[in-house]
mmCIF file with all atom_site columns, all heavy atoms in Angstrom:
data_model
loop_
_atom_site.group_PDB
_atom_site.id
_atom_site.type_symbol
_atom_site.label_atom_id
_atom_site.label_alt_id
_atom_site.label_comp_id
_atom_site.label_asym_id
_atom_site.label_entity_id
_atom_site.label_seq_id
_atom_site.pdbx_PDB_ins_code
_atom_site.Cartn_x
_atom_site.Cartn_y
_atom_site.Cartn_z
_atom_site.occupancy
_atom_site.B_iso_or_equiv
_atom_site.pdbx_formal_charge
_atom_site.auth_seq_id
_atom_site.auth_comp_id
_atom_site.auth_asym_id
_atom_site.auth_atom_id
_atom_site.pdbx_PDB_model_num
ATOM 1   N N   . ALA A 1 263 ? 17.919 16.232 -20.514 1.00 41.00 ? 263 ALA A N   1
ATOM 2   C CA  . ALA A 1 263 ? 16.873 16.864 -20.824 1.00 41.00 ? 263 ALA A CA  1
ATOM 3   C C   . ALA A 1 263 ? 16.789 17.858 -21.937 1.00 41.00 ? 263 ALA A C   1
ATOM 4   O O   . ALA A 1 263 ? 15.991 18.054 -22.715 1.00 41.00 ? 263 ALA A O   1
ATOM 5   C CB  . ALA A 1 263 ? 16.293 17.659 -19.392 1.00 41.00 ? 263 ALA A CB  1
ATOM 6   N N   . ALA A 1 264 ? 17.991 18.551 -22.041 1.00 39.00 ? 264 ALA A N   1
ATOM 7   C CA  . ALA A 1 264 ? 18.091 19.552 -23.072 1.00 39.00 ? 264 ALA A CA  1
ATOM 8   C C   . ALA A 1 264 ? 18.148 19.050 -24.539 1.00 39.00 ? 264 ALA A C   1
ATOM 9   O O   . ALA A 1 264 ? 18.080 19.684 -25.458 1.00 39.00 ? 264 ALA A O   1
ATOM 10  C CB  . ALA A 1 264 ? 19.407 20.502 -22.985 1.00 39.00 ? 264 ALA A CB  1
ATOM 11  N N   . THR A 1 265 ? 18.368 17.681 -24.679 1.00 47.00 ? 265 THR A N   1
ATOM 12  C CA  . THR A 1 265 ? 18.600 17.107 -25.984 1.00 47.00 ? 265 THR A CA  1
ATOM 13  C C   . THR A 1 265 ? 17.295 16.281 -26.335 1.00 47.00 ? 265 THR A C   1
ATOM 14  O O   . THR A 1 265 ? 17.302 15.517 -27.276 1.00 47.00 ? 265 THR A O   1
ATOM 15  C CB  . THR A 1 265 ? 19.684 16.045 -25.961 1.00 47.00 ? 265 THR A CB  1
ATOM 16  O OG1 . THR A 1 265 ? 19.502 14.996 -24.961 1.00 47.00 ? 265 THR A OG1 1
ATOM 17  C CG2 . THR A 1 265 ? 20.996 16.865 -25.596 1.00 47.00 ? 265 THR A CG2 1
ATOM 18  N N   . GLN A 1 266 ? 16.148 16.461 -25.678 1.00 50.00 ? 266 GLN A N   1
ATOM 19  C CA  . GLN A 1 266 ? 14.876 15.877 -26.020 1.00 50.00 ? 266 GLN A CA  1
ATOM 20  C C   . GLN A 1 266 ? 14.615 16.002 -27.505 1.00 50.00 ? 266 GLN A C   1
ATOM 21  O O   . GLN A 1 266 ? 14.541 17.085 -28.034 1.00 50.00 ? 266 GLN A O   1
ATOM 22  C CB  . GLN A 1 266 ? 13.798 16.343 -25.144 1.00 50.00 ? 266 GLN A CB  1
ATOM 23  C CG  . GLN A 1 266 ? 13.903 16.264 -23.659 1.00 50.00 ? 266 GLN A CG  1
ATOM 24  C CD  . GLN A 1 266 ? 13.713 14.798 -23.183 1.00 50.00 ? 266 GLN A CD  1
ATOM 25  O OE1 . GLN A 1 266 ? 13.156 13.948 -23.939 1.00 50.00 ? 266 GLN A OE1 1
ATOM 26  N NE2 . GLN A 1 266 ? 14.067 14.540 -21.952 1.00 50.00 ? 266 GLN A NE2 1
ATOM 27  N N   . SER A 1 267 ? 14.255 14.894 -28.121 1.00 53.00 ? 267 SER A N   1
ATOM 28  C CA  . SER A 1 267 ? 13.974 14.973 -29.537 1.00 53.00 ? 267 SER A CA  1
ATOM 29  C C   . SER A 1 267 ? 12.596 15.579 -29.885 1.00 53.00 ? 267 SER A C   1
ATOM 30  O O   . SER A 1 267 ? 12.457 16.293 -30.834 1.00 53.00 ? 267 SER A O   1
ATOM 31  C CB  . SER A 1 267 ? 14.021 13.614 -30.112 1.00 53.00 ? 267 SER A CB  1
ATOM 32  O OG  . SER A 1 267 ? 13.284 12.713 -29.608 1.00 53.00 ? 267 SER A OG  1
ATOM 33  N N   . LYS A 1 268 ? 11.549 15.313 -29.029 1.00 70.00 ? 268 LYS A N   1
ATOM 34  C CA  . LYS A 1 268 ? 10.307 15.914 -29.233 1.00 70.00 ? 268 LYS A CA  1
ATOM 35  C C   . LYS A 1 268 ? 9.744  16.117 -27.877 1.00 70.00 ? 268 LYS A C   1
ATOM 36  O O   . LYS A 1 268 ? 9.874  15.459 -26.847 1.00 70.00 ? 268 LYS A O   1
ATOM 37  C CB  . LYS A 1 268 ? 9.387  14.872 -29.996 1.00 70.00 ? 268 LYS A CB  1
ATOM 38  C CG  . LYS A 1 268 ? 9.786  14.525 -31.373 1.00 70.00 ? 268 LYS A CG  1
ATOM 39  C CD  . LYS A 1 268 ? 8.803  13.486 -31.910 1.00 70.00 ? 268 LYS A CD  1
ATOM 40  C CE  . LYS A 1 268 ? 9.323  13.012 -33.309 1.00 70.00 ? 268 LYS A CE  1
ATOM 41  N NZ  . LYS A 1 268 ? 8.396  11.970 -33.851 1.00 70.00 ? 268 LYS A NZ  1
ATOM 42  N N   . PRO A 1 269 ? 8.690  17.022 -27.751 1.00 77.00 ? 269 PRO A N   1
ATOM 43  C CA  . PRO A 1 269 ? 7.964  17.291 -26.593 1.00 77.00 ? 269 PRO A CA  1
ATOM 44  C C   . PRO A 1 269 ? 6.862  16.125 -26.430 1.00 77.00 ? 269 PRO A C   1
ATOM 45  O O   . PRO A 1 269 ? 6.443  15.681 -27.520 1.00 77.00 ? 269 PRO A O   1
ATOM 46  C CB  . PRO A 1 269 ? 7.290  18.623 -26.737 1.00 77.00 ? 269 PRO A CB  1
ATOM 47  C CG  . PRO A 1 269 ? 7.241  18.907 -28.224 1.00 77.00 ? 269 PRO A CG  1
ATOM 48  C CD  . PRO A 1 269 ? 8.423  18.197 -28.759 1.00 77.00 ? 269 PRO A CD  1
ATOM 49  N N   . THR A 1 270 ? 6.513  15.836 -25.317 1.00 81.00 ? 270 THR A N   1
ATOM 50  C CA  . THR A 1 270 ? 5.358  14.810 -25.108 1.00 81.00 ? 270 THR A CA  1
ATOM 51  C C   . THR A 1 270 ? 4.080  15.460 -25.496 1.00 81.00 ? 270 THR A C   1
ATOM 52  O O   . THR A 1 270 ? 3.693  16.562 -25.150 1.00 81.00 ? 270 THR A O   1
ATOM 53  C CB  . THR A 1 270 ? 5.381  14.358 -23.709 1.00 81.00 ? 270 THR A CB  1
ATOM 54  O OG1 . THR A 1 270 ? 6.623  13.919 -23.361 1.00 81.00 ? 270 THR A OG1 1
ATOM 55  C CG2 . THR A 1 270 ? 4.352  13.286 -23.554 1.00 81.00 ? 270 THR A CG2 1
ATOM 56  N N   . HIS A 1 271 ? 3.281  14.736 -26.295 1.00 81.00 ? 271 HIS A N   1
ATOM 57  C CA  . HIS A 1 271 ? 2.010  15.178 -26.735 1.00 81.00 ? 271 HIS A CA  1
ATOM 58  C C   . HIS A 1 271 ? 1.016  15.481 -25.417 1.00 81.00 ? 271 HIS A C   1
ATOM 59  O O   . HIS A 1 271 ? 0.956  14.681 -24.600 1.00 81.00 ? 271 HIS A O   1
ATOM 60  C CB  . HIS A 1 271 ? 1.292  14.116 -27.617 1.00 81.00 ? 271 HIS A CB  1
ATOM 61  C CG  . HIS A 1 271 ? 0.277  14.689 -28.528 1.00 81.00 ? 271 HIS A CG  1
ATOM 62  N ND1 . HIS A 1 271 ? -0.928 15.273 -27.956 1.00 81.00 ? 271 HIS A ND1 1
ATOM 63  C CD2 . HIS A 1 271 ? 0.153  14.814 -29.790 1.00 81.00 ? 271 HIS A CD2 1
ATOM 64  C CE1 . HIS A 1 271 ? -1.657 15.732 -28.884 1.00 81.00 ? 271 HIS A CE1 1
ATOM 65  N NE2 . HIS A 1 271 ? -1.097 15.376 -29.981 1.00 81.00 ? 271 HIS A NE2 1
ATOM 66  N N   . PRO A 1 272 ? 0.487  16.699 -25.353 1.00 81.00 ? 272 PRO A N   1
ATOM 67  C CA  . PRO A 1 272 ? -0.361 16.943 -24.152 1.00 81.00 ? 272 PRO A CA  1
ATOM 68  C C   . PRO A 1 272 ? -1.419 15.868 -24.065 1.00 81.00 ? 272 PRO A C   1
ATOM 69  O O   . PRO A 1 272 ? -1.806 15.651 -22.834 1.00 81.00 ? 272 PRO A O   1
ATOM 70  C CB  . PRO A 1 272 ? -0.892 18.394 -24.448 1.00 81.00 ? 272 PRO A CB  1
ATOM 71  C CG  . PRO A 1 272 ? 0.096  18.987 -25.354 1.00 81.00 ? 272 PRO A CG  1
ATOM 72  C CD  . PRO A 1 272 ? 0.659  17.848 -26.249 1.00 81.00 ? 272 PRO A CD  1
ATOM 73  N N   . ALA A 1 273 ? -1.895 15.338 -25.097 1.00 84.00 ? 273 ALA A N   1
ATOM 74  C CA  . ALA A 1 273 ? -3.001 14.417 -24.930 1.00 84.00 ? 273 ALA A CA  1
ATOM 75  C C   . ALA A 1 273 ? -2.599 13.187 -24.241 1.00 84.00 ? 273 ALA A C   1
ATOM 76  O O   . ALA A 1 273 ? -3.401 12.671 -23.432 1.00 84.00 ? 273 ALA A O   1
ATOM 77  C CB  . ALA A 1 273 ? -3.636 14.157 -26.403 1.00 84.00 ? 273 ALA A CB  1
ATOM 78  N N   . LEU A 1 274 ? -1.378 12.753 -24.480 1.00 88.00 ? 274 LEU A N   1
ATOM 79  C CA  . LEU A 1 274 ? -0.810 11.694 -23.951 1.00 88.00 ? 274 LEU A CA  1
ATOM 80  C C   . LEU A 1 274 ? -0.560 11.987 -22.454 1.00 88.00 ? 274 LEU A C   1
ATOM 81  O O   . LEU A 1 274 ? -0.943 11.097 -21.510 1.00 88.00 ? 274 LEU A O   1
ATOM 82  C CB  . LEU A 1 274 ? 0.492  11.187 -24.489 1.00 88.00 ? 274 LEU A CB  1
ATOM 83  C CG  . LEU A 1 274 ? 1.282  10.017 -23.907 1.00 88.00 ? 274 LEU A CG  1
ATOM 84  C CD1 . LEU A 1 274 ? 0.413  8.771  -23.824 1.00 88.00 ? 274 LEU A CD1 1
ATOM 85  C CD2 . LEU A 1 274 ? 2.588  9.751  -24.611 1.00 88.00 ? 274 LEU A CD2 1
ATOM 86  N N   . THR A 1 275 ? -0.048 12.953 -22.007 1.00 87.00 ? 275 THR A N   1
ATOM 87  C CA  . THR A 1 275 ? 0.125  13.489 -20.690 1.00 87.00 ? 275 THR A CA  1
ATOM 88  C C   . THR A 1 275 ? -1.106 13.652 -19.936 1.00 87.00 ? 275 THR A C   1
ATOM 89  O O   . THR A 1 275 ? -1.160 13.017 -18.769 1.00 87.00 ? 275 THR A O   1
ATOM 90  C CB  . THR A 1 275 ? 0.900  14.780 -20.573 1.00 87.00 ? 275 THR A CB  1
ATOM 91  O OG1 . THR A 1 275 ? 2.099  14.693 -21.284 1.00 87.00 ? 275 THR A OG1 1
ATOM 92  C CG2 . THR A 1 275 ? 1.161  15.117 -19.118 1.00 87.00 ? 275 THR A CG2 1
ATOM 93  N N   . ASN A 1 276 ? -2.065 14.175 -20.511 1.00 85.00 ? 276 ASN A N   1
ATOM 94  C CA  . ASN A 1 276 ? -3.432 14.286 -19.801 1.00 85.00 ? 276 ASN A CA  1
ATOM 95  C C   . ASN A 1 276 ? -4.012 12.937 -19.442 1.00 85.00 ? 276 ASN A C   1
ATOM 96  O O   . ASN A 1 276 ? -4.738 12.768 -18.598 1.00 85.00 ? 276 ASN A O   1
ATOM 97  C CB  . ASN A 1 276 ? -4.393 15.184 -20.572 1.00 85.00 ? 276 ASN A CB  1
ATOM 98  C CG  . ASN A 1 276 ? -3.736 16.760 -20.629 1.00 85.00 ? 276 ASN A CG  1
ATOM 99  O OD1 . ASN A 1 276 ? -3.100 17.077 -19.890 1.00 85.00 ? 276 ASN A OD1 1
ATOM 100 N ND2 . ASN A 1 276 ? -4.322 17.479 -21.644 1.00 85.00 ? 276 ASN A ND2 1
ATOM 101 N N   . TRP A 1 277 ? -4.030 12.147 -20.623 1.00 89.00 ? 277 TRP A N   1
ATOM 102 C CA  . TRP A 1 277 ? -4.575 10.795 -20.396 1.00 89.00 ? 277 TRP A CA  1
ATOM 103 C C   . TRP A 1 277 ? -4.018 9.960  -19.301 1.00 89.00 ? 277 TRP A C   1
ATOM 104 O O   . TRP A 1 277 ? -4.642 9.431  -18.473 1.00 89.00 ? 277 TRP A O   1
ATOM 105 C CB  . TRP A 1 277 ? -4.579 9.982  -21.775 1.00 89.00 ? 277 TRP A CB  1
ATOM 106 C CG  . TRP A 1 277 ? -5.153 8.595  -21.605 1.00 89.00 ? 277 TRP A CG  1
ATOM 107 C CD1 . TRP A 1 277 ? -6.368 8.347  -21.410 1.00 89.00 ? 277 TRP A CD1 1
ATOM 108 C CD2 . TRP A 1 277 ? -4.510 7.394  -21.806 1.00 89.00 ? 277 TRP A CD2 1
ATOM 109 N NE1 . TRP A 1 277 ? -6.626 6.930  -21.400 1.00 89.00 ? 277 TRP A NE1 1
ATOM 110 C CE2 . TRP A 1 277 ? -5.424 6.361  -21.666 1.00 89.00 ? 277 TRP A CE2 1
ATOM 111 C CE3 . TRP A 1 277 ? -3.296 6.996  -22.129 1.00 89.00 ? 277 TRP A CE3 1
ATOM 112 C CZ2 . TRP A 1 277 ? -5.042 4.972  -21.728 1.00 89.00 ? 277 TRP A CZ2 1
ATOM 113 C CZ3 . TRP A 1 277 ? -2.910 5.641  -22.373 1.00 89.00 ? 277 TRP A CZ3 1
ATOM 114 C CH2 . TRP A 1 277 ? -3.721 4.673  -22.197 1.00 89.00 ? 277 TRP A CH2 1
#
Side-chain angles (χ1 to χ4, degrees):
T265 64
Q266 300 283 349
S267 60
K268 295 179 184 178
T270 302
H271 200 298
L274 177 59
T275 306
N276 293 344
W277 178 61

